[in-house]
Amino acid sequence: MIMMDWLAKAMGLPDHNVSSMVAYGSKLAHSGVEKACLMGAVQYHPVGYDDNYSMRGHLLEKEIEADIEKGLTPFFVVATLGTIHCCSFDNLKELGEVCEKWGLWLHVDAAYAGSAFICPETRHLLAGIELVQSFNFNPHKWLQVQFDCSALWIKDRQKLDTVLHLDPIYLQHSKQDEIVDFRHWQIPLGRRFRSLKLWFVLRSFGVTGLQKWIRGTMDLAEYFADLITKSEHFELFRPRSMGLVCFRAKGSNDQNRALLKSLNEGREIHLIPAEIDDTYFLRLAICSTQTTQKDLDDVLNLMLRHLQKL
């Protein structure tokens, strides 16, 4: 990289100018948010969170005001409903009000937890959804749909269509005024037909069946969280959220890293870690239709055996 900089200087190439446009998301937002900003050549400023790991309106507005003072241009905010670290939920209503005040586009990333909104009792987490410009979740993560399937809604689709609309003669067709042409909604010209796989799931399970499935996984997660709470050797990092349980062995971060390495190398179970505020913890998500309470009992016993070997 240094050599490339030297060579650019020797050739008189211009310095790279970073865009003054700024996008925002929680410090717990998925890395894909920051990656999208890198691809779009805009700045990304992560925002802090409260004691419940939720990005709040006043925290966002503080960042916006500071950036405007610097001469920057805030334009885009990603609210996460179900963060990848611990399935926490940003305060959608507060963020929406801030975005409306400052004229920013508010997008919702509900990749995992969005499936749970099929159950009415979870929809309080959608408070403020009317202030959102776009909303996305992945039915393949928790709604029984095979990979890959992503559902995206745009409040005003013409804004997206206008930005990406190119109509050279070789792509024109006789039905273009009668159909929604998705080549204007995305980067590639073509797209896979994912509607059919979603249709089969909805027809096979029905809304009631999918609600039963979601509630069942959350009940199993609560059962596992209770096992952790009662254990002498483990503790919850935070209360169970949706179908995710965040926990750790009582001890140091290094001990938990060693435990995870031992478990995953044993290949009887696979866990993914996370780290928030210098606390390293493990995550267990209920994903299989075959999971039972006995399986979760076995998981706890398995972890105890590996922990004793450390």
Side-chain angles (χ1 to χ4, degrees):
M1 183 65 73
I2 294 176
M3 282 305 305
M4 292 299 290
D5 290 341
W6 286 354
L7 188 58
K9 184 176 181 180
M11 296 176 66
L13 298 179
D15 291 337
H16 175 67
N17 294 317
V18 177
S19 170
S20 65
M21 300 181 71
V22 184
Y24 304 88
S26 168
K27 289 181 178 180
L28 300 181
H30 194 282
S31 61
V33 176
E34 185 173 0
K35 188 172 186 179
C37 292
L38 290 172
M39 294 173 65
V42 299
Q43 297 187 49
Y44 176 65
H45 291 181
V47 179
Y49 41 80
D50 66 12
D51 292 341
N52 292 316
Y53 308 108
S54 172
M55 182 168 67
R56 304 291 300 274
H58 67 281
L59 297 174
L60 172 63
E61 189 159 35
K62 182 179 179 181
E63 295 289 337
I64 291 171
E65 291 174 342
D67 286 338
I68 290 176
E69 192 72 24
K70 297 173 185 174
L72 301 176
T73 306
F75 79 105
F76 183 78
V77 175
V78 175
T80 306
L81 298 183
T83 61
I84 190 167
H85 292 73
C86 60
C87 201
S88 58
F89 291 79
D90 293 340
N91 192 305
L92 198 56
K93 187 175 187 300
E94 290 182 2
L95 298 177
E97 290 171 349
V98 172
C99 289
E100 192 172 60
K101 173 182 176 180
W102 293 95
L104 279 60
W105 183 289
L106 178 58
H107 173 72
V108 170
D109 171 15
Y112 162 70
S115 295
F117 297 139
I118 199 170
C119 300
E121 64 268 24
T122 68
R123 294 177 195 161
H124 62 282
L125 296 166
L126 285 173
I129 191 66
E130 69 279 0
L131 302 173
V132 167
Q133 300 299 317
S134 53
F135 180 97
N136 179 269
F137 87 103
N138 304 138
H140 65 254
K141 283 192 166 77
W142 197 14
L143 208 62
Q144 295 296 320
V145 180
Q146 292 296 309
F147 183 83
D148 62 347
C149 180
S150 185
L152 171 68
W153 289 271
I154 305 290
K155 179 178 285 188
D156 183 358
R157 80 178 199 195
Q158 289 186 341
K159 291 181 178 178
L160 182 60
D161 190 290
T162 300
V163 170
L164 297 177
H165 194 111
L166 292 173
D167 209 19
I169 190 170
Y170 51 82
L171 292 178
Q172 295 176 16
H173 53 87
S174 60
K175 303 293 184 181
Q176 61 187 38
D177 294 327
E178 303 174 26
I179 65 170
V180 176
D181 200 331
F182 289 105
R183 66 188 168 93
H184 301 312
W185 287 48
Q186 59 188 20
I187 296 174
L189 297 177
R191 61 194 296 272
R192 293 176 60 191
F193 185 59
R194 297 173 176 86
S195 298
L196 188 60
K197 63 174 74 177
L198 185 56
W199 181 88
F200 272 117
V201 169
L202 290 172
R203 293 291 292 172
S204 298
F205 287 85
V207 172
T208 301
L210 289 172
Q211 290 173 337
K212 181 180 179 181
W213 150 251
I214 294 292
R215 289 166 179 150
T217 56
M218 289 194 285
D219 288 343
L220 285 170
E222 188 63 33
Y223 176 80
F224 185 72
D226 189 52
L227 291 179
I228 293 296
T229 300
K230 294 176 180 177
S231 171
E232 297 180 12
H233 303 282
F234 294 95
E235 61 188 1
L236 290 177
F237 174 75
R238 72 184 304 260
R240 184 271 309 171
S241 181
M242 299 296 179
L244 180 71
V245 181
C246 298
F247 67 98
R248 63 196 311 275
K250 294 178 180 179
S252 67
N253 285 346
D254 287 342
Q255 184 181 27
N256 278 275
R257 291 189 182 96
L259 174 61
L260 179 73
K261 184 174 186 292
S262 178
L263 287 168
N264 287 346
E265 287 180 350
R267 299 190 178 185
E268 293 181 74
I269 185 175
H270 185 80
L271 299 177
I272 300 293
E275 188 168 2
I276 299 178
D277 298 334
D278 297 324
T279 299
Y280 184 95
F281 58 93
L282 311 183
R283 302 157 65 254
L284 182 139
I286 310 296
C287 301
S288 171
T289 57
Q290 306 300 315
T291 302
T292 65
Q293 289 186 358
K294 181 182 181 304
D295 293 326
L296 299 174
D297 292 334
D298 291 343
V299 167
L300 181 63
N301 291 330
L302 177 68
M303 294 193 304
L304 286 171
R305 291 198 299 272
H306 280 262
L307 188 61
Q308 291 168 358
K309 294 177 183 178
L310 298 181

